[in-house]
């Protein structure tokens, strides 16, 4: 079936399709995956008896530690069939490798073609990639393949360098960009400083990756509000992805949660005991990939926590949707009796205009409990400003972390070291 038309089939039809593909995938990994062959033998699992999505819950989950420690044992295809190698950050220091066959790359192209269609893009659009496409990074690769699949024009500028971005926009007139949303504020800042009438530029849509721009009620959060106030003509759509799922979720034009693509993955939302949670509870995004040849995964726990929404979407699609990522499971902070995730700290810091940049550091203090230190880049300093920052924290989360001022330029370098593909806002020393 056409992958776009598939998004509109009924929920029973979606379930039947997923169960058929799940059975094919389980048989495939039971034969070809050294990791899953070992697990299934150890747990005495007969994959032929796993026929429904509910049966899938009887299988053990796969963790990031499994991927790190037995990386190559997940490869199911002959190395002669691998066409692309990608990496993602690992939990034990070394990056985790992912190997894609030609069919896996086609699947990636389908995933991001669907993202563009969800966001209201047309094949006549020209899409400017403002995200990393080198360094074995999957997001940029997937974005480019999606453009080719959908038939749009694509401009591979890459991340950063506002001057180059605006020069390219002026010369080629793209209508859509893909970027980390906070970079849009840097584009606005550069345009204002150099007399560029950015609000009349050809850019009309932004697909936002890597950071949330909405809250769980589907309203703009502080970052989204800042961008919208500066650039109201620009429509923004959330995209959530991970290398491991080899797919993504994307908002539709109704902008009420990022749609799952059920032809590509089965998704569960699990608690700490690997039990499914209700839509009103936060759960860990857990993915089973469909139609992946190189490195398929069964019940992979991404570490990302979010709420999900089952009610029908006004767009007519019957896929479930997810809200913004609350945080990563391993990043939860227990500070003075309060459980926090980094995103809640970012939200407060983004709402203080004098703060230009920041890094949240978490460490184990002399009492053996979690401590929080925030490195703040600002043209202001002094006890009065520290008190105001701490008052913001106390009013929102009841506790206040330590504040340390550092030069804006120094924090900017720490946020984007030469070897990093993403902006670093959180460092965990625990």
């Amino acid at each position: 079936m056409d992958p776009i038309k598939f998004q509109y089939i009924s929920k029973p039809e979606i379930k039947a399709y997923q169960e058929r593909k799940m059975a094919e995938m389980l048989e495939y990994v039971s034969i070809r995956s050294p990791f899953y062959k070992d697990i299934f033998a150890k747990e005495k699992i007969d994959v032929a008896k796993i026929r429904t999505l509910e049966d899938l819950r009887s299988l053990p989950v796969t963790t990031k530690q499994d991927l790190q420690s037995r990386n190559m044992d997940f490869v199911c295809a002959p190395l002669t069939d691998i066409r692309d190698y990608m990496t993602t950050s690992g939990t034990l220091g070394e990056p985790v490798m992912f190997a894609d066959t030609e069919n896996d790359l086609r699947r990636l192209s389908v995933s991001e073609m669907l993202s563009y269609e969800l966001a209201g893009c047309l094949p006549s659009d020209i899409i400017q990639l403002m995200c990393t496409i080198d360094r074995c990074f999957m997001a940029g690769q997937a974005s480019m393949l999606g453009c080719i699949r959908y038939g749009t024009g694509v401009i591979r500028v890459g991340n950063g360098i506002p001057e180059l971005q605006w020069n390219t926009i002026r010369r080629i007139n793209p209508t859509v960009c893909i970027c980390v949303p906070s970079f849009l504020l840097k584009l606005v800042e550069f345009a204002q400083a150099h007399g560029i009438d950015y609000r009349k530029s050809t850019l009309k849509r932004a697909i936002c990756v890597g950071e949330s721009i909405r809250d769980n009620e589907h309203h703009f959060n502080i970052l989204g509000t800042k961008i919208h106030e500066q650039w109201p003509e620009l429509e923004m759509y959330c995209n959530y992805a991970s290398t491991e799922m080899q797919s993504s979720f994307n908002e539709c034009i109704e902008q009420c949660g990022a749609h799952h693509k059920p032809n590509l993955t089965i998704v569960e939302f699990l608690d700490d005991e690997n039990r499914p949670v209700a839509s009103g509870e936060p759960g860990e995004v857990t993915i089973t990939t469909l139609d992946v040849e190189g490195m398929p995964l069964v019940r992979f726990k991404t570490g990302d926590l979010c709420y999900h929404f089952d009610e029908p979407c006004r767009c007519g699609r019957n896929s479930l949707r997810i809200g913004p990522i609350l945080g990563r499971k391993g990043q939860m902070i227990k500070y003075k009796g309060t459980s926090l995730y980094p995103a809640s700290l970012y939200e407060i810091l983004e709402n203080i205009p004098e703060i230009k940049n920041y890094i949240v550091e978490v460490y184990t203090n002399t009492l053996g409990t979690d401590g929080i230190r925030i490195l703040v880049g600002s043209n202001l300093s002094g006890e009065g400003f520290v008190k105001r920052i701490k008052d913001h924290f106390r009013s929102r989360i009841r506790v206040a972390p330590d504040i340390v001022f550092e030069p804006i330029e120094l924090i900017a370098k720490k946020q984007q070291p030469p070897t990093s593909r993403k902006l670093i806002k959180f460092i965990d020393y625990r």
Side-chain angles (χ1 to χ4, degrees), residues 2-195:
D2 176 83
I4 292 177
K5 291 180 180 178
F6 181 93
Q7 310 305 305
Y8 294 90
I9 67 176
S10 68
K11 287 189 175 182
E13 288 175 302
I14 289 174
K15 186 173 188 289
Y17 175 89
Q18 288 191 323
E19 288 176 343
R20 177 169 61 84
K21 287 294 182 179
M22 176 192 72
E24 293 174 3
M25 182 275 304
L26 289 175
E27 182 181 10
Y28 180 79
V29 299
S30 69
I31 296 170
R32 292 175 173 261
S33 168
F35 176 82
Y36 287 115
K37 284 171 68 174
D38 289 350
I39 293 296
F40 294 164
K42 179 182 177 181
E43 301 291 334
K44 296 181 172 55
I45 293 168
D46 180 359
V47 296
K49 294 181 179 179
I50 310 299
R51 311 309 298 176
T52 69
L53 298 187
E54 292 76 18
D55 293 339
L56 189 64
R57 298 171 189 168
S58 66
L59 298 181
V61 297
T62 304
T63 67
K64 287 180 177 287
Q65 288 84 358
D66 294 328
L67 273 177
Q68 182 83 63
S69 61
R70 297 189 60 181
N71 195 177
M72 292 303 294
D73 284 345
F74 283 87
V75 178
C76 292
L79 294 185
T80 52
D81 288 348
I82 302 302
R83 296 293 174 266
D84 194 33
Y85 291 90
M86 307 185 198
T87 60
T88 186
S89 56
T91 57
L92 304 177
E94 289 295 321
V96 174
M97 180 277 298
F98 272 79
D100 281 355
T101 66
E102 187 173 338
N103 283 333
D104 293 338
L105 294 176
R106 289 196 194 99
R107 179 180 174 280
L108 265 184
S109 74
V110 169
S111 174
E112 293 322 290
M113 173 192 72
L114 292 173
S115 292
Y116 305 148
E117 192 268 340
L118 278 157
C121 301
L122 299 172
S124 57
D125 278 308
I126 299 174
I127 299 179
Q128 184 157 322
L129 301 188
M130 302 180 182
C131 54
T132 303
I133 196 167
D134 56 358
R135 305 181 193 175
C136 300
F137 200 29
M138 181 174 281
Q141 170 83 307
S143 297
M144 187 186 74
L145 292 172
C147 291
I148 295 170
R149 178 86 179 211
Y150 200 34
T152 69
V154 58
I155 315 170
R156 296 179 291 107
V157 178
N159 66 328
I161 319 177
E163 182 177 8
L164 177 59
Q165 304 288 354
W166 280 119
N167 284 341
T168 306
I169 293 166
R170 176 182 56 80
R171 290 186 297 107
I172 307 181
N173 299 322
T175 49
V176 181
C177 67
I178 301 175
C179 64
V180 176
S182 56
F183 183 65
L184 293 170
L185 293 175
K186 294 185 183 296
L187 286 181
V188 169
E189 184 180 356
F190 183 92
Q192 291 172 336
H194 293 83

Side-chain angles (χ1 to χ4, degrees), residues 14-15 17-23 25-26 52-54 56 107 245 247 249 260-269 285-290 297-300 320:
I14 289 174
K15 186 173 188 289
Y17 175 89
Q18 288 191 323
E19 288 176 343
R20 177 169 61 84
K21 287 294 182 179
M22 176 192 72
M25 182 275 304
L26 289 175
T52 69
L53 298 187
E54 292 76 18
L56 189 64
R107 179 180 174 280
M245 74 173 71
S247 178
F249 293 66
H260 174 222
K261 299 165 185 172
N263 54 323
L264 302 176
T265 61
I266 296 167
V267 61
E268 303 172 80
F269 303 91
V285 180
T286 302
I287 293 292
T288 296
T289 57
L290 302 175
L297 297 178
V298 180
R299 305 196 79 204
F300 174 77
L320 61 81

Side-chain angles (χ1 to χ4, degrees), residues 211-228:
E211 294 174 336
S212 297
I213 55 169
R214 297 190 212 283
D215 58 25
N216 276 309
E217 283 70 48
H218 314 309
H219 303 134
F220 283 130
N221 61 15
I222 290 172
L223 175 59
T225 299
K226 281 185 176 181
I227 300 168
H228 182 67

Side-chain angles (χ1 to χ4, degrees), residues 324-341:
I325 300 303
L326 304 173
R328 297 189 77 87
K329 184 179 175 184
Q331 291 180 346
M332 190 181 80
I333 309 161
K334 193 74 171 179
Y335 186 61
K336 297 181 179 178
T338 300
S339 296
L340 305 168
Y341 286 99

